[in-house]
Amino acid sequence: EVQLVQSGAEVKKPGESLKISCKDSGYRFTNSWIGWVRQMPGKGLEWMGSIYPGDSETRYSPSFQGQVTISADKSINTAYLQWSSLKASDTAIYYCARQREGSSTSFGYWGQGTLLTVSS
Amino acid sequence: EGVLTQSPGTLSLPPGERATLSCRASQSVGHGYLIWYQQKPGQAPRLLIFGTSSRATGIPDRFSGSGSGTDFTLTISRLEPEDSAVYYCQQYGSSPLYIFGQGTKLEIK
């Protein structure tokens, strides 16, 4: 059974940096796209970007390009989402999600979410 | 940039009824590139329908998807209290690569 386990909730101050993680227990980590999805408080889902751990190819939504960095370490089946300087508007739940088997058009497996609170 | 518009915003129906949720795209959606998710409070989204009309593993046949071009529908028949959730449609292949609708909240009462 595929499981995506994300790192725990974070409370940070504006201007601080952060890297959150998503560990994939499946055996297809290097051959599947892993995406990151933002959900602001009481709002809908927004795709931020995705990575293909096999060759580290990344794709970003124009709205998030330059605002975050997505990376992966295939030796430990873990994907990351990173900020260099947080803003209060980054407060949200962040989900990692892995493509459905055989197709990158949808996300078949989701992590439990990481709640990020940015406040002075 | 593509936009998915879902309607209605909120739908309230009694158990046993049928729910019809709409998702309209601003640009034609490629064949098989329309997806539906269910999100219950405090939980991560769950894949319901992929390829416009194929049910994901473990999804009961009360859930069905249809549509083409720019107009798509998620139909939930014989509503049960556990179907209360927010439902999102998602398009693949536009800009950005994955686009989500704003969601429809379904209340069963």
Side-chain angles (χ1 to χ4, degrees):
Chain A
E1 181 190 347
V2 174
Q3 266 198 312
L4 300 177
V5 180
Q6 299 185 229
S7 49
E10 301 274 0
V11 179
K12 305 295 269 186
K13 290 182 166 45
E16 291 185 330
S17 62
L18 177 66
K19 192 174 190 177
I20 62 175
S21 66
C22 169
K23 184 170 178 59
D24 186 346
S25 66
Y27 60 92
R28 294 182 186 270
F29 181 73
T30 55
N31 298 320
S32 299
W33 285 91
I34 301 283
W36 287 94
V37 175
R38 182 175 78 173
Q39 188 165 40
M40 299 178 77
K43 302 298 184 184
L45 307 172
E46 301 172 89
W47 173 70
M48 304 174 71
S50 294
I51 188 165
Y52 190 81
D55 60 8
S56 293
E57 179 182 353
T58 53
R59 299 172 179 174
Y60 291 93
S61 165
S63 298
F64 293 93
Q65 179 84 48
Q67 307 304 308
V68 296
T69 301
I70 294 171
S71 60
D73 184 340
K74 59 187 179 183
S75 69
I76 54 172
N77 279 19
T78 301
Y80 302 96
L81 178 64
Q82 183 174 0
W83 294 261
S84 59
S85 181
L86 288 162
K87 302 184 284 286
S89 58
D90 292 319
T91 295
I93 297 173
Y94 293 88
Y95 292 102
C96 65
R98 206 185 85 171
Q99 70 168 75
R100 183 178 62 83
E101 261 99 17
S103 174
S104 60
T105 61
S106 60
F107 298 109
Y109 309 93
W110 292 71
Q112 83 277 19
T114 295
L115 174 62
L116 170 61
T117 303
V118 183
S119 174
S120 54
Chain B
E1 181 173 304
V3 175
L4 290 179
T5 302
Q6 294 187 241
S7 61
T10 302
L11 186 58
S12 186
L13 291 168
E17 292 288 296
R18 171 185 296 185
T20 303
L21 286 63
S22 173
C23 176
R24 177 162 290 178
S26 61
Q27 306 161 356
S28 185
V29 179
H31 179 68
Y33 289 173
L34 198 286
I35 291 91
W36 292 92
Y37 299 90
Q38 176 193 65
Q39 186 179 32
K40 296 183 179 181
Q43 296 185 17
R46 177 173 73 147
L47 177 65
L48 283 180
I49 301 285
F50 63 90
T52 301
S53 59
S54 298
R55 280 185 298 278
T57 303
I59 302 303
D61 60 7
R62 299 185 298 103
F63 292 84
S64 62
S66 63
S68 65
T70 59
D71 290 299
F72 297 86
T73 301
L74 174 69
T75 302
I76 312 170
S77 59
R78 305 184 302 279
L79 285 169
E80 299 181 1
E82 67 196 43
D83 298 333
S84 291
V86 178
Y87 292 84
Y88 294 96
C89 58
Q90 176 236 303
Q91 174 185 356
Y92 173 81
S94 184
S95 177
L97 194 55
Y98 301 87
I99 300 168
F100 291 94
Q102 83 278 18
T104 288
K105 183 176 183 179
L106 176 61
E107 300 174 331
I108 312 300
K109 55 182 179 180

